[in-house]
Amino acid sequence: MIKRLIDKLLGKPPRKTGDTPIAVPRIPAGKRIEIPASEHGIDPSLVDERAVKVVHTLKVGGFEAYVVGGAVRDLLVNRRPKDFDVATNATPEQVKALFRRAFIIGRRFRIVHVIFGRGRDHEVIEVSTFRAYLDSAEATQVGGNEKTSKAELAGQAHAVDASGRVLRDNVWGPQIEDAARRDFTVNAMYYDPETQIVVDYHNGLADVKKRLLRLIGDPATRYREDPVRIIRAVRFAAKLGFSFEPKTGAPVKELAPLLANVPISRMFDEMIKLLQTGHALDSIEALKVHGLHRNVFPILDAVFDEVRATPQQQAFVRQALADTDRRVSEDKAVAPSFLLACLLWHDVLAGWRARQADGEHLVPALQQAIDAVFDARVGDISGRGKLGADMREIWMMQPRLERRQTNTAHSMIEQPRFRAGFDFLRLRADVGEVPVELAEWWEDFSLGDDDEREALLAAAREAQRTAPKRAPAVGRPGVARQTGRNANADAVSTPEDERDDEAVEAPADATADSNAPRKRRRRRRKPAGSGGGGTPDAGAAEAP
């Protein structure tokens, strides 16, 4: 690799292996064009002041610095960018030395995160060093991937796998080469917020005006370098309303199998971005158009499973995506845990019903169904972290919200994830999965004052007392031992409580007697009067 790099710097032709010359596909270097504010029309008020501060600090330190990439693209279409990245000729170590709170991260691409603020209000400005463009022939080739070839990758600055996918890219270079190694022309522009000049090497501004996505260089080669560019192209097209330049779109279906080699964690992140652009519905349709809606994201496979799909499931997913798009358009926070819980809900629901039909109790059946879905659709990426815990809690709240237990209603609305659980219930009500009156009751109860809440509780108690026997709730069809039992009779609690309930329930075919109701009443009162400040269902929302 070092010899090839020296030959490149000296302008020598590529070396040969035997009688076969090494192919060196070149990306056009482009030509630097400086575009003034009068031509590009960027509104400076849309530029984040912290990104401006980072650029200013680097320039004062004696380096070049620009806002770069997607932020410039969004500014050119008069959108306020969600994230701001900065590119500079300073090395990561030099960048880190200029800021009090800066951290070098990454192996594949070493970059610096400059942190502003603390807690939930903190903001990260990502700073990358200009990188040299090196052909795959000049890189170290390893036989495996990031996990299987760790020893070979140690200390490497530029490495690729057998398919040409870049595993390391940390060779610094001039800005003109940094622009060449970026993916799309519309992402390869640099904006100086102090001089208000846009630097364009590949006619990116012209493509923005044409609303066109064009890869820099040979599309097949660029997709092989990083197959995630296929997903990024779909996301940008949906977000911006751009179309593919014909050569850029042509190899997408053929090269889609290369996505199988991308680390699962990176694909998971790309899926989250795809669904949170504010154009999730358009993104899903774009995936279908390009044949990427199956066997790419395991979570989306659950959504597009034609065998198990029902009109109610499809309506639920579309409603969830539309709700996410609306929140993004209103600049409201969007929790990925809520959206993922919506996408996987009917997988969970199917497993929940099946386990109850086999005789499992309600809460353990739901927990087991959730575990199975995480194993099949999510894996180890987030199933053990906060994202997974939030999804579990949203799901575990559903049977408790359905039962509307009067002795635990106050504790329910005090839970941190109650709002997410309630919004999920409301979506279910919108598609007819649960009664609309149930969602309305919880909304009135959560927003009401003490007197209004007491009136709602009194009405719920009366309804439960006088309600006729009815079939089990949505998750519990055909469970013999629940026949003749009011679905609202008991609080959904921990699995231990469920087993205790089983001990005091009369068999399904038993003759009713005066003792059975008294046992159930005592069972309901006991947790409410127990010490320790707990509630009967306080643990049901925790991740098992």
Side-chain angles (χ1 to χ4, degrees), residues 293-348:
H293 60 298
R294 296 301 306 271
N295 303 319
V296 174
F297 301 112
I299 289 177
L300 293 185
D301 284 347
V303 177
F304 294 115
D305 189 341
E306 292 88 356
V307 176
R308 290 190 294 173
T310 65
Q312 188 178 70
Q313 179 215 20
Q314 296 300 308
F316 182 81
V317 170
R318 290 188 66 84
Q319 185 73 19
L321 294 175
D323 188 62
T324 299
D325 290 345
R326 177 186 58 79
R327 291 185 65 85
V328 172
S329 69
E330 295 173 356
D331 290 327
K332 293 181 179 179
V334 177
S337 57
F338 182 86
L339 183 56
L340 294 179
C342 291
L343 296 180
L344 292 176
W345 167 240
H346 285 82
D347 250 21
V348 171

Side-chain angles (χ1 to χ4, degrees), residues 243-465:
S243 58
F244 286 8
E245 180 265 337
K247 291 183 180 179
T248 295
V252 166
K253 290 185 179 179
E254 176 188 350
L255 299 179
L258 294 175
L259 290 166
N261 296 324
V262 178
I264 297 174
S265 58
R266 191 166 176 228
M267 289 296 292
F268 187 86
D269 290 341
E270 286 297 325
M271 184 196 65
I272 296 298
K273 292 177 183 177
L274 187 80
L275 297 175
Q276 292 187 331
T277 60
H279 302 82
L281 288 170
D282 291 338
S283 297
I284 293 295
E285 291 304 316
L287 288 175
K288 289 182 180 179
V289 168
H290 296 286
L292 302 172
H293 60 298
R294 296 301 306 271
N295 303 319
V296 174
F297 301 112
I299 289 177
L300 293 185
D301 284 347
V303 177
F304 294 115
D305 189 341
E306 292 88 356
V307 176
R308 290 190 294 173
T310 65
Q312 188 178 70
Q313 179 215 20
Q314 296 300 308
F316 182 81
V317 170
R318 290 188 66 84
Q319 185 73 19
L321 294 175
D323 188 62
T324 299
D325 290 345
R326 177 186 58 79
R327 291 185 65 85
V328 172
S329 69
E330 295 173 356
D331 290 327
K332 293 181 179 179
V334 177
S337 57
F338 182 86
L339 183 56
L340 294 179
C342 291
L343 296 180
L344 292 176
W345 167 240
H346 285 82
D347 250 21
V348 171
L349 185 59
W352 187 18
R353 286 172 169 165
R355 285 166 174 79
Q356 289 181 89
D358 289 340
E360 186 60 81
H361 260 284
L362 186 143
V363 171
L366 181 54
Q367 290 172 333
Q368 292 167 21
I370 291 171
D371 288 341
V373 168
F374 267 109
D375 290 342
R377 303 297 189 185
V378 181
D380 295 330
I381 302 309
S382 60
R384 303 298 179 264
K386 185 179 185 305
L387 184 74
D390 288 347
M391 293 168 64
R392 290 174 185 269
E393 191 166 357
I394 289 169
W395 288 328
M396 293 299 293
M397 277 187 181
Q398 298 312 300
R400 295 157 59 198
L401 291 169
E402 288 179 32
R403 290 191 168 200
R404 195 172 50 179
Q405 275 306 111
T406 58
N407 61 335
T408 59
H410 286 284
S411 64
M412 280 290 294
I413 64 174
E414 295 299 325
Q415 293 193 24
R417 299 294 297 166
F418 167 76
R419 189 68 203 183
F422 165 73
D423 285 343
F424 194 90
L425 180 75
R426 186 174 56 187
L427 278 177
R428 295 175 63 202
D430 288 344
V431 298
E433 192 173 295
V434 295
V436 173
E437 295 78 9
L438 184 66
E440 292 175 346
W441 189 94
W442 278 107
E443 182 170 20
D444 292 341
F445 186 79
S446 64
L447 298 176
D449 57 27
D450 290 341
D451 292 339
E452 291 170 334
R453 289 179 180 179
E454 187 53 42
L456 288 165
L457 290 174
R461 291 189 193 101
E462 181 64 19
Q464 290 173 10
R465 187 180 68 82

Side-chain angles (χ1 to χ4, degrees), residues 154-192:
Q156 295 291 340
H158 188 217
V160 298
D161 67 8
S163 68
R165 182 169 65 92
V166 178
L167 303 180
R168 293 289 185 271
D169 187 4
N170 292 303
V171 180
W172 318 135
Q175 186 186 48
I176 190 171
E177 291 194 17
D178 185 75
R181 58 167 292 282
R182 293 181 179 272
D183 46 17
F184 300 97
T185 60
V186 297
N187 291 341
M189 291 177 281
Y190 305 78
Y191 176 63
D192 185 339

Side-chain angles (χ1 to χ4, degrees), residues 40-97:
H40 61 65
I42 288 177
D43 180 356
S45 68
L46 297 178
V47 183
D48 190 291
E49 61 182 10
R50 282 154 288 206
V52 175
K53 183 176 181 179
V54 170
V55 169
H56 177 75
T57 301
L58 286 165
K59 292 175 76 171
V60 169
F63 302 104
E64 295 180 68
Y66 301 84
V67 174
V68 69
V72 182
R73 177 201 65 222
D74 289 351
L75 289 168
L76 287 170
V77 295
N78 203 35
R79 292 172 177 260
R80 185 181 297 277
K82 182 179 179 182
D83 301 303
F84 283 83
D85 298 337
V86 170
T88 178
N89 60 346
T91 66
E93 291 75 16
Q94 290 171 328
V95 174
K96 187 178 186 299

Side-chain angles (χ1 to χ4, degrees), residues 504-518:
V504 301
E505 287 182 68
D509 57 352
T511 302
D513 60 62
S514 59
N515 293 328
R518 286 197 294 273

